[in-house]
Amino acid sequence: DKQDLTYPLAGLAQVNLKQKSYDKSIEYSEKGLKIAQEIQTPREYRDIMGTLYETYKLKGDYLKALEYHELYKMMNDSIFDVDKAEKIANLE
């Protein structure tokens, strides 16, 4: 199950981010991102984008950080819109 792979990869990326092993964090994030794209899981995709944003920001690559922040924000807004539409449908 590929979805089960995104969680440990995202976790390893976070651990390496906290340990300031930025290249390893990016490596794990990119692997997780590839899987999230393949299986089309928007929440995991968004979370990994957030990790990539943080990692590149702390690494000092502000152009890449901005790119991932914009993708994160776009995906977060999209998820919010879907959740909001579902809640409205349930209320009706």
Side-chain angles (χ1 to χ4, degrees), residues 1-11 28-42 44-45 48:
D1 186 13
K2 286 187 176 186
Q3 187 169 0
D4 289 340
L5 291 175
T6 59
Y7 298 114
L9 288 170
Y28 287 121
S29 293
E30 288 177 348
K31 287 178 183 179
L33 189 64
K34 183 178 177 186
I35 293 169
Q37 285 174 319
E38 281 178 26
I39 61 175
Q40 299 178 355
T41 53
E44 287 81 5
Y45 185 82
I48 294 170

Side-chain angles (χ1 to χ4, degrees), residues 2-61:
K2 286 187 176 186
Q3 187 169 0
D4 289 340
L5 291 175
T6 59
Y7 298 114
L9 288 170
L12 287 168
Q14 281 290 323
V15 167
N16 281 284
L17 173 62
K18 290 179 195 262
Q19 293 178 343
K20 298 182 182 182
S21 299
Y22 301 129
D23 292 332
K24 278 288 192 189
S25 178
I26 292 168
E27 180 183 330
Y28 287 121
S29 293
E30 288 177 348
K31 287 178 183 179
L33 189 64
K34 183 178 177 186
I35 293 169
Q37 285 174 319
E38 281 178 26
I39 61 175
Q40 299 178 355
T41 53
R43 283 178 172 76
E44 287 81 5
Y45 185 82
R46 176 203 56 198
D47 294 345
I48 294 170
M49 288 289 185
T51 300
L52 283 166
Y53 156 67
E54 290 179 43
T55 304
Y56 278 112
K57 182 177 78 170
L58 292 171
K59 192 175 177 181
D61 189 342

Side-chain angles (χ1 to χ4, degrees), residues 37-88:
Q37 285 174 319
E38 281 178 26
I39 61 175
Q40 299 178 355
T41 53
R43 283 178 172 76
E44 287 81 5
Y45 185 82
R46 176 203 56 198
D47 294 345
I48 294 170
M49 288 289 185
T51 300
L52 283 166
Y53 156 67
E54 290 179 43
T55 304
Y56 278 112
K57 182 177 78 170
L58 292 171
K59 192 175 177 181
D61 189 342
Y62 300 111
L63 197 56
K64 277 281 204 191
L66 177 62
E67 177 185 334
Y68 283 110
H69 180 68
E70 288 174 347
L71 290 169
Y72 168 82
K73 187 70 174 140
M74 184 174 59
M75 185 60 67
N76 194 48
D77 291 347
S78 176
I79 291 169
F80 177 75
D81 290 344
V82 169
D83 289 345
K84 186 173 152 185
E86 288 174 1
K87 287 179 183 176
I88 291 171

